[in-house]
Amino acid sequence: MEQAKILIVVPAYNEQNNILRVIWDIRKTLPSADILVVNDCSLDSTSINARKAEGVKVVDLPYNLGIGGAVQTGFKYALTHGYDYMVQIDGDGQHLPSEVVKLFDTMVSNSCDMVIGSRFLDIQSFRTTWLRRMGIKVFYLIFRMLIHAKITDGTSGFRMYNRNGIALMAKYYPDDYPEPDAIILLKKHGLRIAEVGVEMKEREHGVSSISMIKSPYYMTKVIVSIFFSYIRTRW
């Protein structure tokens, strides 16, 4: 892993209280990896704080593009600069950089193009609210039905991609609800997906953009988006 060219992409929106700790954790456990923070037009000091970390690249988006646009910026950067692998680690501190080695080992051993870090595979971890867990279960059933894949944590943003995945996602990464839609796109383009159990933490600062009230609305829109992605993407 030390010899591979790895880019860690950290999409961040209003994460001024988390971003430096996330960067330090990455530096401590993955010293050979490059770090790109994509500041999604935050209204706080996310960009200023990220720039305090020496050697970290920071891209400030001129408009708030949402998680899809922020992560696709990372894919385009990784593709342009010839990285072997790209890992998404969210700026809220929930993803543990120490778990990246599991993603890498799974990718190598399974010869796959994308690995998802799952909270629901053989490990005790922070697993979000019961309502979101129910939604994830629904997505699991939809993936089984549409693409015949067993994806236990379809909304997890903790993911590693190889060059094939980077090239595809740099061009086609979904704007809205990207994590579930990306699974459909990868499978329908013939790329291979695997999962591995990882530990995650509850965020210490800030709040999720998907509240208890918004969760049913979010789930409904994601389900519709998944079906549209399935229909419009040719096999």
Side-chain angles (χ1 to χ4, degrees):
M1 184 172 174
E2 289 78 10
Q3 297 179 355
K5 191 176 181 183
I6 300 175
L7 177 67
I8 309 296
V9 173
V10 185
Y13 177 68
N14 292 346
E15 297 290 359
Q16 64 177 10
N17 295 319
N18 293 314
I19 193 64
L20 270 179
R21 180 171 54 81
V22 170
I23 292 171
W24 289 334
D25 286 346
I26 295 170
R27 277 277 184 258
K28 181 173 62 177
T29 57
L30 303 166
S32 63
D34 293 335
I35 302 173
L36 174 70
V37 174
V38 183
N39 171 40
D40 193 18
C41 200
S42 296
L43 303 177
D44 62 6
S45 298
T46 295
S47 178
I48 294 172
N49 288 350
R51 293 176 187 276
K52 293 177 182 177
E54 185 177 353
V56 172
K57 304 290 186 182
V58 180
V59 172
D60 293 314
L61 299 180
Y63 304 99
N64 179 255
L65 299 182
I67 186 65
V71 176
Q72 188 174 37
T73 300
F75 282 118
K76 290 180 179 295
Y77 185 95
L79 182 65
T80 300
H81 292 83
Y83 283 92
D84 300 315
Y85 303 98
M86 188 191 109
V87 182
Q88 177 186 339
I89 294 181
D90 289 348
D92 58 12
Q94 290 186 301
H95 301 157
L96 302 179
S98 58
E99 299 286 77
V100 169
V101 66
K102 293 182 181 179
L103 303 183
F104 180 80
D105 289 345
T106 301
M107 176 163 283
V108 172
S109 62
N110 289 273
S111 299
C112 57
D113 303 293
M114 188 261 275
V115 178
I116 301 171
S118 172
R119 292 161 283 190
F120 307 104
L121 280 177
D122 305 322
I123 194 166
Q124 291 298 318
S125 176
F126 168 69
R127 297 190 174 191
T128 193
T129 65
W130 69 268
L131 191 57
R132 292 193 67 177
R133 291 199 303 272
M134 183 177 68
I136 290 168
K137 183 65 174 179
V138 171
F139 300 150
Y140 171 84
L141 296 174
I142 291 174
F143 291 136
R144 286 291 305 273
M145 178 179 66
L146 295 181
I147 58 175
H148 311 293
K150 297 180 180 180
I151 306 296
T152 65
D153 202 353
T155 65
S156 170
F158 189 29
R159 301 180 175 193
M160 172 177 271
Y161 299 81
N162 66 5
R163 287 187 175 185
N164 294 331
I166 290 169
L168 179 66
M169 294 293 100
K171 187 174 182 180
Y172 294 117
Y173 198 67
D175 293 330
D176 211 2
Y177 316 116
E179 289 87 2
D181 277 355
I183 293 170
I184 298 290
L185 287 170
L186 286 160
K187 290 292 288 186
K188 296 195 76 172
H189 281 84
L191 274 64
R192 294 154 295 180
I193 301 172
E195 279 190 305
V196 63
V198 297
E199 182 183 354
M200 293 189 192
K201 298 190 303 183
E202 187 173 6
R203 64 157 61 230
E204 293 183 9
H205 303 282
V207 295
S208 171
S209 60
I210 305 172
S211 64
M212 185 71 71
I213 295 176
K214 293 181 180 179
S215 287
Y217 174 73
Y218 166 82
M219 190 171 74
T220 301
K221 289 197 69 175
V222 174
I223 291 172
V224 172
S225 181
I226 288 172
F227 277 101
F228 270 107
S229 293
Y230 178 79
I231 292 169
R232 69 171 174 259
T233 307
R234 292 182 179 179
W235 284 101

